[in-house]
Amino acid sequence: MKYKALALDLDGTLTDHNKNLPEKNKEAIWKAIDKGVSIILASGRPLFGVTPIADMLKLKEKGGYILAYNGGNIVDCSNGELLVSFWLPSLCIKDICSLAKENGVHAVTYADTQIVAESDDDEYVLKEAKCNNTTVMKVEDLFSFVDYPVAKFLVVGEHEKLLPVRKALLEKYSGVIDAFFSEDYFLEIVPAGVAKDEALKVLLERIGYTTDELIACGDGMNDIPMLKISGLSCVMQNAYPEVKKYADYIAPSNDEAGVAHVIEKFII
């Protein structure tokens, strides 16, 4: 069998526009597992936001992997082992929070199973909460609150307001952090070198596969790195036009169970 691993983005790819997992996708993934394909849920979501999808797919029993925070954490679903973990350097957190305020947008991170931010009614903060099926913990001062290791920050808001935040952070912390867009309104801030492609390379080597044996499915800007390295890159019809430039194959949309279509066509 040519393809032995399948990396799946979640939002806009595996899940529909309501963040639900289509039954067709679930059944197709189980068929792929039965054929010996390793399933990798590769998402910018925090670990607690990916785990419910992994549970729906029964990856603890059937085997599979979670790549959370865009690769900041890699977990073996079969035993819960944290295989890889990277944490955001604490020295940059004050600037992330202050730059967000200066530009009229919001910094967001995670605590236990909640989103943490200084607003619990901002539309973009609530979008991130919905993505992870959780609630917002509102705090007075996010910088003071975050006295524990975090794998990722988001700065959320209108795209034009996020651009100067990204520019300032990359200029000051070159080689320390990376800042990139997963959506026009989500600026992801992670440790330098953390991305879906690098995480997949590490995981694939660990489980004995090459990138040529990988199918990657995605729709967002943060999926481009893994699409570029995969043996077969499949992009959903609902993807950003820029992302479609990296597609070997354009699949039906996430609302049409595009992932199931890819599995049936290229694996089953």
Side-chain angles (χ1 to χ4, degrees):
M1 187 170 60
K2 184 176 182 181
Y3 299 112
K4 298 178 180 178
L6 177 62
L8 301 170
D9 172 58
L10 299 191
D11 300 299
T13 301
L14 181 60
T15 62
D16 63 23
H17 75 279
N18 289 317
K19 309 300 180 183
N20 295 321
L21 176 62
E23 194 66 25
K24 284 185 179 179
N25 284 349
K26 186 192 302 184
E27 291 173 358
I29 286 170
W30 288 341
K31 288 180 184 178
I33 292 172
D34 289 342
K35 290 185 72 71
V37 173
S38 292
I39 302 300
I40 306 163
L41 302 182
S43 177
R45 290 189 189 189
L47 186 57
F48 70 78
V50 185
T51 301
I53 302 294
D55 290 344
M56 291 178 201
L57 293 170
K58 301 182 180 179
L59 296 189
K60 184 175 182 179
E61 297 82 9
K62 295 177 177 290
Y65 302 89
I66 291 174
L67 188 161
Y69 302 110
N70 287 303
N73 285 180
I74 302 176
V75 173
D76 183 338
C77 295
S78 64
N79 56 19
E81 181 184 358
L82 183 62
L83 303 177
V84 173
S85 61
F86 294 97
W87 306 106
L88 197 66
S90 58
L91 61 95
C92 65
I93 293 176
K94 184 175 183 179
D95 282 322
I96 293 170
C97 296
S98 61
L99 282 165
K101 288 181 181 178
E102 289 169 16
N103 288 277
V105 289
H106 288 283
V108 176
T109 193
Y110 313 94
D112 296 324
T113 59
Q114 284 185 291
I115 307 300
V116 187
E118 292 177 6
S119 170
D120 59 2
D121 59 5
D122 176 78
E123 64 173 304
Y124 299 105
V125 173
L126 292 174
K127 279 180 184 288
E128 176 63 1
K130 182 179 178 181
C131 282
N132 294 286
N133 193 30
T134 189
T135 55
V136 180
M137 179 192 302
K138 182 180 178 180
V139 297
E140 290 300 317
D141 184 343
L142 186 58
F143 169 64
S144 298
F145 180 83
V146 180
D147 59 357
Y148 53 90
V150 292
K152 187 184 85 168
F153 257 79
L154 278 180
V155 181
V156 302
E158 296 175 14
H159 187 70
E160 293 303 316
K161 293 181 179 180
L162 296 177
L163 292 174
V165 178
R166 180 177 185 269
K167 183 175 184 291
L169 288 173
L170 290 179
E171 286 177 352
K172 184 169 183 178
Y173 296 105
S174 175
V176 177
I177 63 171
D178 282 333
F180 52 85
F181 290 98
S182 55
E183 304 280 358
D184 283 346
Y185 46 81
F186 281 173
L187 177 63
E188 311 247 349
I189 303 163
V190 297
V194 168
K196 292 185 180 184
D197 58 339
E198 295 303 320
L200 284 168
K201 288 176 186 176
V202 170
L203 177 58
L204 290 171
E205 182 177 3
R206 190 178 185 114
I207 61 180
Y209 299 148
T210 68
T211 53
D212 289 339
E213 296 172 302
L214 173 70
I215 299 176
C217 294
D219 75 296
M221 302 297 286
N222 61 328
D223 295 322
I224 291 174
M226 74 171 180
L227 294 169
K228 289 169 70 174
I229 66 157
S230 62
L232 179 68
S233 59
C234 297
V235 175
M236 303 299 107
Q237 183 61 52
N238 53 283
Y240 286 105
E242 176 66 20
V243 181
K244 290 181 179 178
K245 296 177 184 178
Y246 298 91
D248 296 317
Y249 182 76
I250 302 293
S253 75
N254 62 322
D255 283 333
E256 300 170 293
V259 167
H261 175 88
V262 168
I263 292 172
E264 293 288 346
K265 184 175 179 65
F266 295 106
I267 295 175
I268 306 302

